[in-house]
Amino acid sequence: MKRGYDILETQLLGTVAVVVSENGVEEVCLTKESFKDYLKHHPEVEQNPKLCQEAISQLDAYFKGERLNFELPLALEGTEFRKQVWEALMQIPYGETRSYGEIAKSIGNPKAVRAVGSANKANVLPLIIPCHRVIGAKGRLVGFMGARTDLQARLLAHEEKIRSQRLYKH
């Protein structure tokens, strides 16, 4: 199966890399470090801008504030529970947040807060599956990409800014 990556340089986060196969987007790396780690485990994956063109284009439009949702085929691998959580994450509107508890309730499993956190952590398609929109019960930023709440804060601020601009225009 054909698989390749490409890189997008962004003002907001710096280097963002995407890995795409014939089945769809497989991975989004929001830091140089996470991308280097990905390549260490997958040295066979080579740069392929043509294969990644649509994903890079949509990510670029997101960072420019021109795209609020992604329309890409996704090559998701995970348990049915994780897929259910990821689907719930994709329902969180641009510029809004939900708590882990709210996500657990939305999938009909209100006691599964920790499991929702685990599914969130296992998400390899950040931005496309917007795990940055999930926050702690008291409104705190917690657990994004381990301890990268600085990136989460930047993404949420970006979305709030774009959302405010769009509301102001209308």
Side-chain angles (χ1 to χ4, degrees):
M1 173 178 31
K2 189 188 288 188
R3 174 185 286 128
Y5 73 84
D6 204 7
I7 295 171
L8 176 66
E9 293 298 333
T10 71
Q11 283 190 305
L12 188 66
L13 300 180
T15 300
V16 173
V18 63
V19 179
V20 178
S21 73
E22 295 166 328
N23 295 331
V25 182
E26 290 188 355
E27 186 109 11
V28 175
C29 300
L30 299 184
T31 65
K32 281 184 184 179
E33 298 80 22
S34 64
F35 182 56
K36 285 179 184 177
D37 190 50
Y38 176 86
L39 287 179
K40 192 179 347 175
H41 291 94
H42 302 279
E44 75 285 359
V45 180
E46 297 180 358
Q47 192 163 12
N48 187 332
K50 187 175 181 183
L51 184 62
C52 300
Q53 183 177 359
E54 185 59 28
I56 289 290
S57 175
Q58 288 192 30
L59 285 166
D60 188 43
Y62 168 85
F63 285 110
K64 290 177 178 174
E66 299 165 356
R67 175 171 283 280
L68 307 184
N69 299 298
F70 295 94
E71 297 171 10
L72 295 164
L74 307 179
L76 285 175
E77 290 189 19
T79 65
E80 285 307 311
F81 178 81
R82 285 182 175 178
K83 288 179 181 179
Q84 190 178 18
V85 170
W86 297 335
E87 182 60 39
L89 299 183
M90 289 190 278
Q91 303 308 312
I92 304 172
Y94 183 94
E96 293 185 21
T97 59
R98 299 290 183 272
S99 71
Y100 293 97
E102 288 172 319
I103 297 297
K105 286 178 191 158
S106 78
I107 63 169
N109 201 341
K111 294 184 180 185
V113 176
R114 286 183 186 267
V116 165
S118 180
N120 214 30
K121 183 178 179 182
N123 174 23
V124 295
L125 299 175
L127 300 182
I128 297 171
I129 299 175
C131 54
H132 64 281
R133 296 180 189 155
V134 182
I135 59 174
K138 295 183 172 123
R140 291 188 17 244
L141 304 184
V142 293
F144 182 71
M145 291 177 55
R148 295 304 308 263
T149 54
D150 59 316
L151 297 181
Q152 183 180 22
R154 279 189 255 165
L155 289 166
L156 291 173
H158 168 73
E159 289 187 3
E160 181 56 36
K161 176 183 169 190
I162 299 302
R163 189 168 169 239
S164 295
Q165 289 172 351
R166 285 173 172 254
L167 291 173
Y168 183 71
K169 285 181 182 178
H170 294 87

